[in-house]
Amino acid sequence: MTAEMIAPEWMHRQITSEEYDSWTEEQCAGIEIVDGMVVVSPSATILHNRLARFLANALDQAGGEEWNADTDFDVRLQDVPLNNRRPDVVVYRRDAVHETPARPSNVLLLVEVVSPGSETTDRLVKLDQYAKAGIPFYWRVEQVVGRTPVVHTYLLDAENRSYRAGEVFTGLVKAAVPYPVEVDLTEP
């Protein structure tokens, strides 16, 4: 049995932005593109999805007339080689709601909920990629079954294109930046 018999041919070569943009929504679900290569993401747990939804709802409500917060869509970090990430929560300009995929220039904050298997990617790789793309804020939610979620916040140092650590919240998030928001993650 060859690899082509198990996975489609396009999973074994670099994908261009034009090719990816021609795919259906179903083909793009559950994957990210890193340096042109397809990376399959496993299904998230119920707790993971609830934490993301709670955060998205709170950020969306607090975003006022300027900002939306949603889940599960592509952010195009780079065209060549193609880098598409699908963060757990994206805060973006309300007037860019029809832009697909979202572009960093319209994104204010990206949130990743760390799951088993995504630790290194969410803690290091995405931290670096999002900073290099110029995303002003990044939040990382650490979840451990039976323990209160911890939210680590980061602010972009635009000159160095790297993040510096911000506030850390355990359970109750009362953030002042990127805009005031409060959400209780102790009982998702």
Side-chain angles (χ1 to χ4, degrees):
M1 185 176 292
T2 66
E4 286 75 19
M5 294 171 69
I6 298 168
E9 173 271 331
W10 50 261
M11 290 187 77
H12 301 283
R13 62 176 171 77
Q14 283 190 311
I15 304 301
T16 66
S17 59
E18 294 81 13
E19 184 174 13
Y20 185 81
D21 292 344
S22 74
W23 292 355
T24 66
E25 193 172 313
E26 290 78 26
Q27 287 175 294
C28 299
I31 65 171
E32 293 182 316
I33 309 294
V34 180
D35 294 331
M37 300 301 292
V38 174
V39 176
V40 179
S41 301
S43 295
T45 65
I46 294 170
L47 178 58
H48 177 282
N49 288 340
R50 286 188 63 77
L51 289 169
R53 185 170 50 85
F54 272 44
L55 282 165
N57 289 348
L59 287 161
D60 192 59
Q61 186 174 17
E65 295 296 316
E66 189 174 359
W67 302 105
N68 285 346
D70 286 303
T71 62
D72 197 33
F73 64 89
D74 287 340
V75 176
R76 173 82 39 96
L77 301 176
Q78 175 179 308
D79 287 303
V80 179
L82 181 58
N83 278 297
N84 269 13
R85 289 294 190 176
R86 196 170 274 236
D88 294 313
V89 179
V90 180
V91 176
Y92 60 96
R93 291 184 195 290
R94 186 167 295 237
D95 62 4
V97 71
H98 298 290
E99 181 181 288
T100 303
R103 294 293 181 152
S105 60
N106 290 319
V107 174
L108 179 65
L109 165 68
L110 296 177
V111 180
E112 295 289 358
V113 179
V114 179
S115 297
S118 75
E119 294 96 337
T120 301
T121 302
D122 291 343
R123 292 176 186 152
L124 301 173
V125 176
K126 289 182 178 180
L127 184 77
D128 183 61
Q129 284 184 331
Y130 295 163
K132 297 271 188 293
I135 307 297
F137 298 92
Y138 176 61
W139 291 5
R140 187 186 79 238
V141 181
E142 295 285 344
Q143 58 163 337
V144 177
V145 175
R147 294 172 65 193
T148 303
V150 177
V151 179
H152 299 263
T153 67
Y154 299 88
L155 302 92
L156 182 66
D157 176 338
E159 185 177 322
N160 296 322
R161 290 285 189 168
S162 63
Y163 287 115
R164 59 183 168 80
E167 293 185 87
V168 177
F169 301 98
T170 302
L172 180 63
V173 177
K174 285 180 127 179
V177 293
Y179 48 77
V181 64
E182 185 173 325
V183 59
D184 187 356
L185 299 179
T186 58
E187 299 285 333

